Amino acid sequence: MPKGEGKLIAQNRKARHDYTVVDTMEAGMVLQGTEIKSIRNSRINLKDGFVRIRNGEAYLLNVHISPYEQGNIFNHDPLRTRKLLLHKKQIAKLMTETKNTGITIIPLKVYIRNGYAKVLIGLAKGKKQYDKREDLKRKEINREIDRTLKNNLR
């Protein structure tokens, strides 16, 4: 299966609006018992999430996984820092890219593939306000072209 495919659980829709995604990478997550149950119930929020590299390991921060309803005392901290499972070469690539100009690592999607929770992370460069406006104009123009073509074909 290509990266980014599987049963989609959550998607960071705001990411493509706020950032230009340069490259994507698939990573596994180290989760506690009730976290995977909450993820399977689609109780995850990627909105403010980001990835940091510390001591040669990648960590996912500010991703909110709601406590599992039937979890009682075994529930987890919703904003816990979670380790990402990546190869050393992938981590080295991420480190070199983020040390350069204004590139950050953000989670784009969380999905279940072969029974495991995966996260699609992206190397992203922040957009300026005028870039966002330009993208919205381009999207609106394409929508208008599609509408006129559809009406002309009728």
Side-chain angles (χ1 to χ4, degrees):
M1 232 185 256
K3 65 182 175 185
E5 287 190 17
K7 183 184 178 231
L8 184 64
I9 302 297
Q11 191 169 6
N12 191 352
R13 295 179 187 210
K14 197 82 168 149
R16 302 254 183 213
H17 181 262
D18 293 339
Y19 299 97
T20 303
V21 178
V22 179
D23 191 20
T24 60
M25 199 175 291
E26 182 181 83
M29 290 189 287
V30 176
L31 299 171
Q32 292 178 349
T34 56
E35 286 179 323
I36 188 66
K37 292 179 180 188
S38 291
I39 288 174
R40 287 177 199 264
N41 289 336
S42 300
R43 310 270 292 150
I44 183 170
N45 184 359
L46 301 174
K47 186 177 169 187
D48 298 325
F50 61 96
V51 176
R52 280 280 144 84
I53 309 288
R54 280 191 235 137
N55 301 328
E57 294 178 341
Y59 292 96
L60 187 62
L61 292 101
N62 276 2
V63 171
H64 187 276
I65 299 177
S66 298
Y68 186 59
E69 284 114 21
Q70 288 87 28
N72 61 35
I73 62 168
F74 300 107
N75 266 331
H76 57 277
D77 177 28
L79 289 174
R80 184 178 75 87
T81 301
R82 293 162 185 93
K83 185 177 173 182
L84 294 179
L85 303 173
L86 292 164
H87 293 285
K88 282 185 182 180
K89 287 182 182 178
Q90 291 174 321
I91 293 173
K93 179 184 176 187
L94 291 176
M95 283 176 58
T96 56
E97 290 290 332
T98 54
K99 285 184 181 176
N100 295 340
T101 58
I103 290 183
T104 187
I105 310 165
I106 54 172
L108 301 173
K109 292 180 186 179
V110 171
Y111 51 94
I112 303 283
R113 190 166 116 185
N114 298 332
Y116 296 102
K118 303 284 184 180
V119 61
L120 186 70
I121 56 176
L123 285 167
K125 197 173 234 181
K127 283 185 185 177
K128 303 278 190 239
Q129 189 66 36
Y130 57 84
D131 289 335
K132 294 177 190 177
R133 285 190 207 116
E134 189 177 301
D135 284 347
L136 288 174
K137 285 179 189 174
R138 191 177 311 121
K139 193 183 285 186
E140 186 61 39
I141 289 169
N142 287 339
R143 240 187 245 144
E144 198 61 41
I145 290 170
D146 289 341
R147 275 191 209 124
T148 55
L149 285 175
K150 185 177 178 182
N151 290 335
N152 288 341
L153 292 176
R154 286 185 180 179

